[in-house]
């Protein structure tokens, strides 16, 4: 392929591409290579898009986000998400925390998908059989609520349908809408093995849950009893301690008189309570034994107000805080967790005054049937009428609210099913102590240990219709607490009942379902026993630190209990995603950021990269500025790919490719033969690969992102690409150009590999555009580690960089036109001159120097007094003749005028500061601001004076 110089030079548009390049004496060589580059890039672009899936950067100006779904579907269709056991190395697995089937994508999902996919893609490229297990959770409370609301819009109530029909409707809803969340997770690039996807109510998982319940019951770890639970009146079910959120809310503290039985009208105790309606359930009044105000009443009785004279004992207990309220505590064991524990310790009776719907029951007498909050108002009004109301005052309380419904939770004694946790918790604690389980970040280990060391029995029954029904059957006419049957099915339960009670026995199943967390903890994925042994000892659980106890610790306990080993070796915890101001995202604040909207605007890769930059376990403040910055990073990566492609040989030039591919960078002797810029960037790359690989292995993903970002943008794009232009366009030696081509390709493809786990879409698109790709990036081998690096070359190129920066700064300081080339005298020791002079063309290109006017010497030039003196480093200096950079006389005039104006402004600031009236009366921050402006003005004034003095001295010397 040949072109005449005349035809090349006639292309004005080509010439305008980079005027700096064409002022060089090798202009014809440069133009010829540039024209070839454009023609062959068109050829490469066509080749890259042959399969209809990928688009070359030579065709598109920037990466098209709409191609992400196309790339994802191609990966999936090729089977890349499935583990490849042929590789034979140790397997790696991540278990996805199953999102609710009712869910739609939020930033919490985006965070866990990003981090888990990073792990999976990295280990897949490391050659390990890699499995990411996906699934969804049936979300008992949330799903039942959604369907109940849907039915309500049709005028239908759940109870009117009956359990069987209602459950059928829920399954219909699940089939229609349940796939929304998994489709959205795919949109984030999750490379899960979707052929193994499960739902917690699938038959296999349901069998596993029922089997687990039966085994735990047989071991005596599951029992039934009436104990205090968190009751949700609106949902009509018990909820876990972990599903109750406490918030500081304004309320009222009510002060009420409790008369002392047998005393005078002046003998009474004043209690302070935030929930006066629970007084109907009082079974004692308590004071501190050391509180002298009340010792005379200890052992007597108090009359509970509005109960027609019901007496309760006045007792002493150190539990009572003398300084809170009045120092007198009403004990309502049926409606307060602490009172319940105290009552059990002291043997006090327990009275329940609340119905399941939050209304008061018959124990409340005339208040029976009233809603708890209505009863509170009515009771206070009548207390005021009877003279038993002392006062009420504003008070901030910790209010327990349902995580699902948002309503205020009611502590209530209720008959439920529980799991004894202490024996299992000890095994889970031991796993961490022995190093069988590692929790990251390490600080969460203390929280894990504290929770498990103080664990309470787990209430696992829920009064719902949607979920795994408790596998317990009762015998009609028998005591349900004593005579019940645990079985896998109704048929099995009936057989057992008939064997014990005869053939005419009737049975009915417990109406409750199991806590969703119990189900999701015990629903093991679809793997064989052999696969389990291969996978689980080397697996990772990644999730938010907010469900460390909900799911993680329980998974550990159940895993050990049923398999004899920890279900995963590492637990990686991430923080919450907050808005740019550090606030928790909520619809109320209107600060929720939708991941799908973010993807449309910034792309999936920019979102993933932004999320991964957060520190492990720390909350991340997400801002538009961060997303915009990382979108720019995606574009920079794209444009770098465009440059690399434009400067590679055409596919139809086998000899050029043979020469390029023959260059290997894994041998030190070859590395030492490289020109300085190439040796530098390859050495830096090899150092980076080692550092990044170590960080990946330690789960330090923010370090990976930051280090790779800095290398790509700072070293490769800003420095090496620019330096390579001297060899690609200006060197008459084709071998030098070929070496630069090989280094460009080698470094760039390794950058794509290291970034792929973070930014899978754009890196795969760019990878597919590179010629001679034999496999997809997603399954390409990870870069080799421990490759040679030349520290001397790194130091030498850093000297070249320092020299370039110094010259660029001087040009900027003296406002030299960008296209203007200037002369320079480089003063250095002989060894420095030797390697700097070999890269004279690179220095000229990067610093915009005139190649013919660069002089190397071991002492200052004769015109040093008329030059700007730069010190780039020890033993490396430069002198830039002022006359080359500026019109000295014009510059003196300009600076003189500027100095006069600056002096006036500075004196004005001083005048304000010297005025006692201003300093004494102006706000402190205003005075401080003026002082800062004065200091800044003084500094600029002195710099300008110095420069003006230097220029004036230069004129005198020249005269």
């Amino acid at each position: 392929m040949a072109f005449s110089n005349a035809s090349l030079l006639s292309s004005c548009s080509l010439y305008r591409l980079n005027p700096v390049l064409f002022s060089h004496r090798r202009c014809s060589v440069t133009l010829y290579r540039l024209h070839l580059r454009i023609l062959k890039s068109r050829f490469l672009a066509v080749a890259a898009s042959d399969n209809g899936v990928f688009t070359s950067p030579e065709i598109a100006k920037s990466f098209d986000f709409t191609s992400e779904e196309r790339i994802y579907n191609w990966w999936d269709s090729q089977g890349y998400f499935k583990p490849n056991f042929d590789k034979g190395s140790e397997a790696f697995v991540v278990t996805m925390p199953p999102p609710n089937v009712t869910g739609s994508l939020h930033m919490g999902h985006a965070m866990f998908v990003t981090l888990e996919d990073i792990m999976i893609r990295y280990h897949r490229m490391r050659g390990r059989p890699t499995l990411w297990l996906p699934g969804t959770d049936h979300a008992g409370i949330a799903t039942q609520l959604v369907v109940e609301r849907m039915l309500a819009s049709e005028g239908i109530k759940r109870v009117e349908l009956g359990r069987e029909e209602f459950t059928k409707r829920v399954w219909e809803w699940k089939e229609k809408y349940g796939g929304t969340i998994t489709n959205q997770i795919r949109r984030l690039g999750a490379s899960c093995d979707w052929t193994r996807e499960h739902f917690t109510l699938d038959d296999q998982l349901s069998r596993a849950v029922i089997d687990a319940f039966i085994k735990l019951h047989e071991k005596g770890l599951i029992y039934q009893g009436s104990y205090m639970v968190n009751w949700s009146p609106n949902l009509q079910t018990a909820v876990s301690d972990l599903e109750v959120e406490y918030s500081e809310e304004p309320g009222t503290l009510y002060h009420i008189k409790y008369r002392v039985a047998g005393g005078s009208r002046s003998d009474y105790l004043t209690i302070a309570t935030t929930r006066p309606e629970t007084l109907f359930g009082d079974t004692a009044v308590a004071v501190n034994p050391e509180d002298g105000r009340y010792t005379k009443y200890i052992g007597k009785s108090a009359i509970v107000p509005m109960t027609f004279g019901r007496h309760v004992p006045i007792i002493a207990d150190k539990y009572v805080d003398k300084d809170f309220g009045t120092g007198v505590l009403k004990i309502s064991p049926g409606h307060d967790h602490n009172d319940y524990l105290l009552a059990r310790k002291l043997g006090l009776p327990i009275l329940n005054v609340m119905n399941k719907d939050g209304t008061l029951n018959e124990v409340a007498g005339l208040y029976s049937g009233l809603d708890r909050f209505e009863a509170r108002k009515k009771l206070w009004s009548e207390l005021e009428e009877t003279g038993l109301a002392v006062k009420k005052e504003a008070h901030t309380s910790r209010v327990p609210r349902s995580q699902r419904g948002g309503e205020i939770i009611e502590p209530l004694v209720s008959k439920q099913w529980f799991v004894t946790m202490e024996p299992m918790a000890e095994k889970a604690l031991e796993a961490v102590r022995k190093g069988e389980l590692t929790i990251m970040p390490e600080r969460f280990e203390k929280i894990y240990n504290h929770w498990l060391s103080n664990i309470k029995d787990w209430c696992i029954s829920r009064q719902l219709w949607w979920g795994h029904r408790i596998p317990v059957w009762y015998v009609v006419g028998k005591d349900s607490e004593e005579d019940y049957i645990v079985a896998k099915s109704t048929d099995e339960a009936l057989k057992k009942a008939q064997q014990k009670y005869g053939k005419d026995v009737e049975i009915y199943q417990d109406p409750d379902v199991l806590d969703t967390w119990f189900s999701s903890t015990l629903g093991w994925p679809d793997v064989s026993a052999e696969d389990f042994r291969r996978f689980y000892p080397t697996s990772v659980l990644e999730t938010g630190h907010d469900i460390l106890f909900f799911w993680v610790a329980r998974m550990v306990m159940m895993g050990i209990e049923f398999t004899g080993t920890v279900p995963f070796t590492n637990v990686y915890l991430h923080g919450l995603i907050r808005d740019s101001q550090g606030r928790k995202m909520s619809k109320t604040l209107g600060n929720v950021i939708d991941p799908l909207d973010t993807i449309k605007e910034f792309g999936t890769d920019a979102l993933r990269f932004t999320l991964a930059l957060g520190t492990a376990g720390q909350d991340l403040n997400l801002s538009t500025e961060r997303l915009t910055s990382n979108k720019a990073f995606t574009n920079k990566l794209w444009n770098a790919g465009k440059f690399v492609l434009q400067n590679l040989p055409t596919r139809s030039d086998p000899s050029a490719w043979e020469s390029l591919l023959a260059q290997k960078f894994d041998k030190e002797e070859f590395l030492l033969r490289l020109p300085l810029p190439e040796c530098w960037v390859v050495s830096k790359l090899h150092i980076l690969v080692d550092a990044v690989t170590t960080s990946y292995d330690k789960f330090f993903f923010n370090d990976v992102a930051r280090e790779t970002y800095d290398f790509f943008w700072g070293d490769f794009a800003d420095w090496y690409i620019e330096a390579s232009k001297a060899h690609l366009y200006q060197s008459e030696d084709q071998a030098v150009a070929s070496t630069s081509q090989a280094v460009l390709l080698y470094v760039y493809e390794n950058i794509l590999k290291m970034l792929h786990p973070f930014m899978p879409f754009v890196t795969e698109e760019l990878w597919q555009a590179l010629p001679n790709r034999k496999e997809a990036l997603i399954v390409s081998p990870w870069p080799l580690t421990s490759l040679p690096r030349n520290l001397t070359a790194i130091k030498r190129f850093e000297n070249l960089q320092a020299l370039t920066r110094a010259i660029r700064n001087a040009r900027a300081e003296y406002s030299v036109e960008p296209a203007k080339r200037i002369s320079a005298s480089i003063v250095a020791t002989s060894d420095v001159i030797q390697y700097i002079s070999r890269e004279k063309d690179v220095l000229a290109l990067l610093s915009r120097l005139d190649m013919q006017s660069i002089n190397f010497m071991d002492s200052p030039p004769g015109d040093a007094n008329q030059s700007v003196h730069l010190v780039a480093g020890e033993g490396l200096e430069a002198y830039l003749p002022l006359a080359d950079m500026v019109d000295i006389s014009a510059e003196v005039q300009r600076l003189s005028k500027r100095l006069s104006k600056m002096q006036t402004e500075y004196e004005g600031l001083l005048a304000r500061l010297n005025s006692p009236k201003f300093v004494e009366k102006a706000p402190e921050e205003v005075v401080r601001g003026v002082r800062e402006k004065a200091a800044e003005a003084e500094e600029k004034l002195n710099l300008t004076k110095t420069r003006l003095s230097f220029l004036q001295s230069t004129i005198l010397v020249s005269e």
Side-chain angles (χ1 to χ4, degrees):
M1 190 182 294
F3 305 93
S4 69
N5 287 342
S7 67
L8 289 171
L9 289 169
S10 67
S11 177
C12 295
S13 61
L14 269 179
Y15 184 83
R16 285 196 296 270
L17 283 173
N18 194 338
V20 175
L21 293 176
F22 302 105
S23 62
H24 194 272
R25 62 186 175 85
R26 301 189 183 96
C27 180
S28 61
V29 175
T30 301
L31 284 172
Y32 177 73
R33 288 184 178 165
L34 187 59
H35 203 109
L36 277 179
R37 173 161 67 96
I38 292 173
L39 289 177
K40 69 192 177 190
S41 69
R42 292 172 185 163
F43 176 83
L44 288 171
V46 172
S49 57
D50 281 348
N51 58 17
V53 176
F54 301 98
T55 304
S56 170
E58 294 309 299
I59 291 177
K61 182 179 178 182
S62 60
F63 179 57
D64 184 1
F65 305 148
T66 62
S67 66
E68 293 174 350
E69 290 183 76
R70 187 170 65 250
I71 294 170
Y72 185 88
N73 292 335
W74 180 77
W75 283 327
D76 199 8
S77 69
Q78 300 299 306
Y80 292 141
F81 299 162
K82 298 178 182 179
N84 180 3
F85 291 110
D86 294 338
K87 295 185 177 182
S89 57
E90 187 180 53
F92 180 84
V93 69
V94 171
T95 304
M96 177 186 289
N100 287 352
V101 71
T102 58
S104 59
L105 199 68
H106 57 65
M107 279 298 173
H109 295 126
M111 175 64 97
F112 89 68
V113 169
T114 295
L115 294 174
E116 291 178 21
D117 200 42
I118 286 172
M119 297 177 196
I120 285 293
R121 289 178 183 269
Y122 167 67
H123 285 283
R124 185 184 289 124
M125 294 175 77
R126 291 301 302 270
R128 299 176 67 176
T130 304
L131 173 63
W132 187 4
L133 285 164
T136 49
D137 191 293
H138 64 275
I141 293 175
T143 308
Q144 183 158 317
L145 274 176
V146 167
V147 177
E148 284 197 50
R149 287 169 185 158
M150 181 187 73
L151 292 173
S153 68
E154 302 171 15
I156 302 172
K157 292 183 178 180
R158 170 170 60 96
V159 291
E160 295 171 352
L161 282 178
R163 184 170 195 143
E164 186 176 343
E165 181 61 26
F166 176 77
T167 304
K168 180 183 175 183
R169 293 287 188 99
V170 181
W171 275 109
E172 289 172 357
W173 180 93
K174 187 266 178 188
E175 293 305 315
K176 187 174 182 180
Y177 300 105
T180 299
I181 185 66
T182 53
N183 289 332
Q184 292 173 336
I185 285 174
R186 289 170 187 257
R187 188 68 186 82
L188 286 164
S191 55
C192 307
D193 183 356
W194 294 105
T195 63
R196 296 175 185 258
E197 180 184 4
H198 275 290
F199 177 53
T200 47
L201 290 183
D202 286 349
D203 288 343
Q204 181 204 355
L205 271 61
S206 295
R207 287 195 299 272
V209 170
I210 299 306
D211 286 346
F213 182 98
I214 293 171
K215 288 176 183 176
L216 290 173
H217 184 269
E218 289 172 349
K219 291 181 179 182
L221 295 174
I222 285 183
Y223 63 93
Q224 186 184 43
S226 294
Y227 298 95
M228 177 154 285
V229 297
N230 300 298
W231 185 262
S232 171
N234 287 356
L235 301 174
Q236 291 280 290
T237 181
V239 294
S240 161
D241 289 348
L242 301 174
E243 293 171 305
V244 178
E245 295 180 339
Y246 288 86
S247 59
E248 297 288 328
E249 298 181 19
T252 304
L253 191 62
Y254 299 88
H255 294 252
I256 304 170
K257 289 182 181 179
Y258 278 53
R259 298 194 185 281
V260 177
S264 67
R265 294 187 63 85
S266 62
D267 288 321
Y268 62 85
L269 300 173
T270 301
I271 63 95
T273 179
T274 57
R275 302 166 66 216
E277 69 279 4
T278 63
L279 63 76
F280 299 107
D282 289 355
T283 58
V285 172
V287 297
N288 192 294
E290 298 176 0
D291 193 337
R293 293 174 295 174
Y294 307 119
T295 51
K296 63 182 178 180
Y297 297 126
I298 297 172
K300 295 185 178 182
S301 295
I303 303 172
V304 180
M306 313 306 292
T307 61
F308 303 101
R310 184 166 66 85
H311 291 195
V312 295
I314 301 172
I315 63 175
D317 197 280
K318 290 183 178 180
Y319 166 75
V320 180
D321 183 354
K322 294 187 294 182
D323 300 320
F324 176 76
T326 62
V328 182
L329 183 68
K330 61 188 285 295
I331 307 297
S332 309
H335 300 281
D336 182 274
H337 287 283
N338 294 321
D339 290 2
Y340 176 77
L341 295 175
L342 186 62
R344 293 191 67 182
K345 182 181 78 170
L346 301 175
L348 295 173
I350 296 172
L351 278 179
N352 175 24
V353 302
M354 203 82 66
N355 294 314
K356 298 294 177 67
D357 62 357
T359 60
L360 271 60
N361 63 24
E362 64 280 0
V363 174
L366 298 176
Y367 296 86
S368 175
L370 288 179
D371 174 77
R372 51 185 168 160
F373 302 116
E374 292 176 11
R376 182 179 300 175
K377 292 179 183 176
K378 182 180 180 183
L379 176 61
W380 182 251
S381 175
E382 293 186 358
L383 285 169
E384 287 181 316
E385 291 175 6
T386 58
L388 295 176
V390 178
K391 65 175 180 177
K392 63 179 181 179
E393 58 187 358
H395 178 73
T396 300
S397 303
R398 287 185 75 238
V399 179
R401 290 191 176 274
S402 165
Q403 194 181 62
R404 293 295 175 199
E407 65 182 313
I408 295 178
I409 290 296
E410 190 64 43
L412 204 67
V413 174
S414 176
K415 184 178 175 182
Q416 303 287 341
W417 289 94
F418 296 85
V419 177
T420 303
M421 302 303 292
E422 192 174 338
M424 290 188 284
E426 181 52 42
K427 296 175 186 176
L429 287 165
E430 186 68 12
V432 172
R433 282 196 292 266
K434 288 183 176 179
E436 296 170 356
L437 176 67
T438 301
I439 298 176
M440 299 167 286
E442 189 178 352
R443 68 179 184 277
F444 285 105
E445 186 178 311
K446 292 181 180 178
I447 301 172
Y448 171 92
N449 289 339
H450 180 267
W451 187 72
L452 287 176
S453 298
N454 297 276
I455 197 166
K456 298 176 182 177
D457 286 357
W458 178 8
C459 175
I460 58 169
S461 48
R462 298 291 180 268
Q463 290 63 53
L464 303 169
W465 285 358
W466 175 245
H468 291 115
R469 196 162 177 182
I470 289 177
V472 170
W473 283 259
Y474 303 106
V475 178
V476 175
K478 299 291 183 180
D479 185 344
S480 62
E481 288 194 19
E482 296 293 334
D483 296 288
Y484 62 81
I485 296 162
V486 179
K488 293 182 180 180
S489 65
T490 302
D491 289 342
E492 182 181 313
L494 184 58
K495 278 185 182 179
K496 288 184 176 181
Q498 288 173 339
Q499 289 171 0
K500 188 173 182 180
Y501 299 105
K503 289 195 174 182
D504 295 332
V505 70
E506 289 183 42
I507 62 172
Y508 61 96
Q509 190 172 358
D510 193 305
D512 293 351
V513 300
L514 290 163
D515 177 13
T516 301
W517 291 104
F518 184 87
S519 300
S520 61
T521 297
L522 290 164
W524 291 102
D526 185 15
V527 292
S528 65
E530 182 183 357
D531 277 2
F532 186 89
R533 285 192 295 273
R534 282 194 289 184
F535 278 133
Y536 279 84
T538 58
S539 67
V540 173
L541 181 69
E542 187 285 330
T543 188
H545 62 63
D546 53 328
I547 63 169
L548 175 60
F549 312 125
F550 273 119
W551 196 53
V552 179
R554 288 168 174 172
M555 282 279 280
V556 174
M557 288 186 280
M558 295 300 181
I560 296 173
E561 189 66 29
F562 290 105
T563 69
T565 185
V566 289
F568 24 77
T569 53
N570 296 281
V571 173
Y572 181 94
L573 301 168
H574 67 253
L576 300 176
I577 309 296
R578 298 183 179 274
D579 70 6
S580 58
Q581 300 176 45
R583 300 175 301 175
K584 191 173 181 179
M585 292 186 189
S586 71
K587 292 179 181 178
T588 305
L589 292 174
N591 63 346
V592 175
I593 302 174
D594 187 318
L596 296 179
D597 291 342
T598 305
I599 287 171
K600 288 178 185 176
E601 184 175 356
F602 300 98
T604 303
D605 293 316
L607 173 59
R608 287 172 57 123
F609 196 79
T610 303
L611 295 177
L613 276 168
T615 303
Q618 299 281 2
D619 292 352
L620 174 72
N621 293 355
L622 184 63
S623 66
T624 301
E625 290 74 20
R626 286 189 177 193
L627 290 164
T628 301
S629 173
N630 291 320
K631 180 182 179 182
F633 180 48
T634 306
N635 290 336
K636 189 77 170 180
L637 198 64
W638 187 262
N639 290 332
K642 185 177 297 187
F643 178 85
V644 172
L645 286 168
Q646 288 174 342
N647 287 283
L648 292 177
T650 64
R651 293 172 187 257
S652 59
D653 188 349
S655 62
W657 274 103
E658 185 178 349
S659 173
L660 188 153
L661 296 174
Q663 303 192 50
K664 305 296 181 183
F665 304 99
D666 57 350
K667 297 289 188 294
E668 188 171 8
E669 59 269 22
F670 186 87
L671 186 69
L672 294 174
R673 293 200 298 268
L674 291 175
L676 181 60
E678 282 68 27
C679 188
W680 167 76
V681 76
V682 171
S683 295
K684 291 275 285 191
L685 172 72
H686 290 170
I687 292 171
L688 176 70
V689 170
D690 287 357
V692 161
T693 302
T694 299
S695 292
Y696 266 117
D697 288 337
K698 292 181 176 180
F699 302 93
F700 295 166
F701 302 126
N702 59 321
D703 289 347
V704 174
R706 179 177 45 77
E707 291 168 2
T708 312
Y709 179 100
D710 291 345
F711 173 80
F712 166 73
W713 201 304
D715 293 338
F716 183 70
D718 284 357
W719 284 98
Y720 180 67
I721 281 182
E722 295 306 312
S724 71
K725 293 174 182 176
H727 295 165
L728 291 169
Y729 309 149
Q730 298 177 7
S731 174
E732 295 178 343
D733 186 349
Q734 181 58 40
V736 173
S738 179
T739 297
S740 292
Q741 289 173 327
V743 169
L744 277 171
L745 181 59
Y746 175 71
V747 176
Y748 188 66
E749 68 181 9
N750 279 290
I751 288 171
L752 294 182
K753 287 183 177 184
M754 287 185 287
L755 282 175
H756 177 72
F758 287 80
M759 311 174 78
F761 294 109
V762 68
T763 53
E764 186 72 76
E765 186 95 294
L766 289 164
W767 178 266
Q768 294 292 336
L770 297 175
N772 301 317
R773 300 300 98 188
K774 296 180 180 178
E775 57 192 348
L777 178 57
I778 188 175
V779 290
S780 67
W782 187 254
L784 297 175
T785 57
S786 302
L787 292 180
R789 67 287 314 268
N790 188 331
L791 300 182
T792 300
I794 292 175
K795 178 61 179 174
R796 287 177 173 178
F797 193 80
E798 286 173 351
N799 286 338
L800 183 63
Q801 287 176 303
L803 181 60
T804 300
R805 289 191 189 98
I807 295 172
R808 287 175 174 176
N809 290 340
R811 290 178 64 104
E813 188 176 342
Y814 286 92
S815 304
V816 180
E817 294 178 3
K820 184 176 182 179
R821 294 191 161 221
I822 61 175
S823 57
S825 295
I826 311 302
V827 178
T829 56
S830 58
D831 61 319
V832 175
I833 288 175
Q834 187 176 15
Y835 67 76
I836 292 287
S837 62
R838 280 202 296 265
E839 301 303 332
K840 184 178 179 180
D841 54 348
V842 174
L843 178 63
L845 180 65
L846 296 178
S847 306
R848 297 188 181 94
L849 300 178
D850 181 0
M851 276 281 288
Q852 309 308 312
S853 302
I854 302 176
N855 300 300
F856 295 93
M857 52 191 67
D858 56 9
S859 59
D863 60 352
N865 290 337
Q866 295 175 277
S867 302
V868 176
H869 179 210
L870 307 174
V871 178
E874 189 175 347
L876 180 59
E877 303 174 28
Y879 290 85
L880 308 180
L882 262 176
D884 264 15
M885 296 194 292
V886 295
D887 180 331
I888 298 176
S889 297
E891 184 67 5
V892 166
Q893 289 182 359
R894 187 184 72 82
L895 286 180
S896 297
K897 289 180 181 178
R898 183 181 174 189
L899 187 63
S900 177
K901 183 179 179 182
M902 291 171 68
Q903 185 70 41
T904 301
E905 291 174 354
Y906 177 60
E907 289 173 355
L909 292 170
L910 287 181
R912 294 181 72 188
L913 293 173
N914 290 330
S915 167
K917 186 176 180 181
F918 170 74
V919 174
E920 292 170 5
K921 293 187 177 181
E924 185 180 343
E925 61 271 17
V926 173
V927 176
R928 184 169 58 250
V930 173
R931 284 201 178 100
E932 290 172 355
K933 286 181 181 179
E936 185 180 348
E938 183 180 20
E939 184 180 358
K940 290 180 179 179
L941 194 64
N942 291 333
L943 286 172
T944 305
K945 285 179 179 178
T946 301
R947 186 185 298 179
L948 182 59
S949 176
F950 172 63
L951 291 172
Q952 289 170 336
S953 66
T954 302
I955 293 174
L956 291 174
V957 170
S958 63
E959 290 175 351

